[in-house]
Amino acid sequence: MVIRILKRLYSSLIYLFLYAPILILIIFSFNNSRSRGSWGGFTLKWYGELFKDSQIMSALYYTILIAAFSSLIATIIGTAAAIGINGMGRRGKNLVMNLSYIPVLNADIVTGISLMLLFILIKLQLGFVTLLIAHITFNIPYVILSVLPKLKQLDNNLYEAALDLGATPWYALLKVIIPEIMPGIITGALLAFTLSIDDFVISFFTTGSGVSNLSITVYSMARRGVNPKINALSTLMFIAVLSLLFVINVRANKKPQRKGDVN
């Protein structure tokens, strides 16, 4: 009994240490005073001023645009890659999977600098296009790792049965394989969207003048002093990312319906 209480107390202290700063940030986003050391009353004015700030609204526009396009393209490429990897032999699959793990395990600063040097080498001007390519690049491995488990659960005879019944390979892919692995595809797309919104380091090295996402904007604003609008913006970003992660976890933990179950 005592050990159980100590375990719960320890876990509670860990979570308190992790989330107390975020909780304080959220509370002070409603503080009427600009001071971080005193409470001046409840207000929503910082949220109002946040949406009137053209710099922040521009960053929000680019953040959502980049996240939407990069997650869509990365999902298409990653799903196709996962299907191809699943059909490889053991040695080829292990080799490609190890290559897919490298961008995930690699430090963001290394990836960011490497992509920046590549864009400079091929004389591609840093801006919206380079930022989009960078986000697609680091999102693809996460999509692959989300789709592959669903492919491993798939009955290999389904595709062959569809071909035997007269379906073309493309029709069998769209009507048989894709619907079966759709939960993994959606999870990968949501994860890619979340990572794109949250990214700072890679974006910092691969963007150019006039194109900035929310993470870079928050960093530049914080360097000039902590503005209460940053608290409001960070609160909204935290809620958005938390909501997406919640959806991802729900979909990942959802048990597949048995084939014999009646709808």
Side-chain angles (χ1 to χ4, degrees), residues 63 68 77 98 101 105 124 130 137 139 161 192 199 224:
T63 299
I77 297 175
N98 288 331
Y101 281 126
L105 301 175
L124 185 61
T130 57
T137 302
N139 276 332
D199 180 72
R224 299 193 298 266

Side-chain angles (χ1 to χ4, degrees), residues 25 28-36 45-47 49-50 221 225-235:
L25 180 145
F28 274 87
S29 69
F30 300 102
N31 185 14
N32 191 40
S33 173
R34 298 180 67 93
S35 173
R36 288 171 291 167
K45 71 176 183 179
W46 304 120
Y47 288 89
E49 293 189 11
L50 172 66
M221 292 174 65
V226 179
N227 191 305
K229 289 186 290 186
I230 297 179
N231 297 336
L233 176 60
S234 301
T235 300

Side-chain angles (χ1 to χ4, degrees), residues 7-38:
K7 287 181 178 179
R8 291 181 178 178
L9 178 62
Y10 177 77
S11 300
S12 300
L13 290 175
I14 293 296
Y15 282 109
L16 178 64
F17 177 77
L18 290 174
Y19 288 99
I22 299 176
L23 180 61
I24 293 173
L25 180 145
I26 293 174
I27 292 174
F28 274 87
S29 69
F30 300 102
N31 185 14
N32 191 40
S33 173
R34 298 180 67 93
S35 173
R36 288 171 291 167
S38 60

Side-chain angles (χ1 to χ4, degrees), residues 202-213:
I202 297 176
S203 300
F204 182 81
F205 286 102
T206 56
T207 190
S209 177
V211 180
S212 175
N213 61 10

Side-chain angles (χ1 to χ4, degrees), residues 59-165:
L60 177 63
Y61 168 76
Y62 281 116
T63 299
I64 296 177
L65 194 64
I66 290 292
F69 278 106
S70 64
S71 59
L72 176 62
I73 298 173
T75 300
I76 295 173
I77 297 175
T79 301
I83 294 173
I85 293 171
N86 188 63
M88 289 181 174
R90 185 175 180 180
R91 291 185 178 180
K93 184 184 294 185
N94 291 335
L95 175 62
V96 176
M97 284 305 300
N98 288 331
L99 292 175
S100 300
Y101 281 126
I102 292 176
V104 177
L105 301 175
N106 199 21
D108 285 349
I109 190 169
V110 175
T111 302
I113 293 176
S114 301
L115 288 170
M116 180 187 68
L117 293 176
L118 174 63
F119 295 144
I120 294 175
L121 180 64
I122 63 177
K123 301 185 184 304
L124 185 61
Q125 185 176 1
L126 297 179
F128 179 84
V129 175
T130 57
L131 184 60
L132 178 61
I133 294 174
H135 280 232
I136 294 171
T137 302
F138 73 73
N139 276 332
I140 288 176
Y142 292 97
V143 176
I144 294 175
L145 296 177
S146 297
V147 176
L148 269 177
K150 294 298 179 181
L151 286 168
K152 292 180 180 179
Q153 297 172 6
L154 187 65
D155 187 355
N156 295 327
N157 296 323
L158 286 175
Y159 180 74
E160 295 178 0
L163 296 180
D164 291 339
L165 292 173

